[in-house]
Amino acid sequence: MIKFLILLSLFATPALGDALPIVTVTEEPGATQYSLTLQLLALMTLLSVLPAMLLGLTSFVRIIIVLSLLRQALGTMQTPPNTVLVGIALFLTFFVMAPVFNSVYDTAILPFLNEEISIEAAIAAAEVPVRGFMLNQTRQEDIGMFVEIVGMEAIPAPEEVPFSILAPAFITSELKSAFVIAFMIYIPFIVIDLIVASVLMSMGMMMLSPMMISMPFKLMLFVLVDGWTLVVGSLAASFAMP
């Protein structure tokens, strides 16, 4: 799958100065036929699989889950809105994945466009940094679980892990990491909710919603500790390459 996506990205990028025409017009007696080039077809196919590629092969999953659970912990309902959270997650994903993307461009796409290497060599070179990032973020027990499910023998080296096993293991590890980080974020806000609820119960204000009273205190705590900087910085640091 990853080789197919890389192949599409390379094929969809026009050669320097030799871009194919978008529409080819064929004149025939009594009729005119129009056909899209393979370049445009490859580009449209690449755009259709980009969301799945972004979700499955990058840091986007962990980031968006943590940000969504942070919003719930603050109790701010739809603030920040979903579009803002997705935007933050996208730009943070680009920041985290920048070394990987730069490596793919320098070692695979640019040499291929300059006709220095073949398409097979470009695909092999582009797969190395992507696979390395995924292996660094994937737990060994998750890989072992999927190896056991498919009934494969023990894999001698991480570089030999098939992509069909690496991809679901990577996503599983990302989900685990995201919920662990979100749990640590939730703890101080739960403490504030418990304190506010206990105070309201002792004052006999059982009809007053504790969420309404605790939200300003949670927002104040989040602002005083510079919460956004801590969360975003911790998320970015959690992807540090060994």
Side-chain angles (χ1 to χ4, degrees), residues 4-234:
F4 175 70
L5 294 176
I6 296 173
L7 177 62
L8 284 177
S9 64
L10 294 175
F11 183 71
T13 304
L16 296 177
D18 295 325
L20 296 176
I22 296 180
V23 178
T24 300
V25 181
T26 304
E27 295 287 346
E28 294 184 359
T32 302
Q33 295 182 356
Y34 298 88
S35 61
L36 296 177
T37 62
L38 292 178
Q39 180 186 2
L40 180 60
L41 179 61
L43 180 60
M44 294 176 63
T45 305
L46 177 64
L47 292 176
S48 66
V49 299
L50 273 179
M53 184 177 178
L54 178 65
L55 293 176
L57 306 182
T58 67
S59 57
F60 183 83
V61 174
R62 184 190 304 186
I63 295 172
I64 193 64
I65 290 177
V66 171
L67 293 179
S68 299
L69 292 178
L70 170 63
R71 182 177 63 181
Q72 295 184 18
L74 287 171
T76 55
M77 303 303 288
Q78 295 298 320
T79 304
N82 292 330
T83 53
V84 175
L85 287 186
V86 172
I88 296 173
L90 280 175
F91 284 110
L92 193 55
T93 298
F94 293 149
F95 171 79
V96 172
M97 300 295 298
V100 179
F101 293 155
N102 292 335
S103 179
V104 171
Y105 180 79
D106 293 336
T107 60
I109 297 179
L110 187 59
F112 173 76
L113 295 179
N114 293 334
E115 299 182 354
E116 299 174 359
I117 59 176
S118 63
I119 183 65
E120 292 81 6
I123 293 175
E127 186 178 0
V128 173
V130 177
R131 175 181 287 270
F133 171 80
M134 296 176 68
L135 284 173
N136 290 330
Q137 309 302 325
T138 305
R139 296 176 174 83
Q140 294 184 358
E141 56 268 23
D142 293 330
I143 296 178
M145 178 186 67
F146 286 100
V147 169
E148 183 179 354
I149 290 175
V150 299
M152 291 181 58
E153 298 180 355
I155 300 176
E159 295 77 12
E160 300 180 12
V161 177
F163 187 76
S164 59
I165 293 178
L166 180 59
F170 171 76
I171 295 176
T172 303
S173 294
E174 286 297 282
L175 291 174
K176 290 181 180 179
S177 300
F179 278 93
V180 169
I181 296 174
F183 172 76
M184 300 302 295
I185 294 175
Y186 245 100
I187 291 178
F189 299 115
I190 290 178
V191 172
I192 294 177
D193 287 334
L194 291 175
I195 294 175
V196 171
S198 300
V199 171
L200 292 179
M201 288 285 291
S202 63
M203 297 176 63
M205 299 181 180
M206 292 177 291
M207 300 300 295
L208 184 62
S209 174
M211 293 291 295
M212 183 183 304
I213 306 300
S214 63
M215 187 177 67
F217 292 99
K218 290 189 288 187
L219 290 177
M220 181 181 64
L221 172 65
F222 194 69
V223 171
L224 289 177
V225 299
D226 200 6
W228 283 113
T229 301
L230 291 176
V231 171
V232 172
S234 300

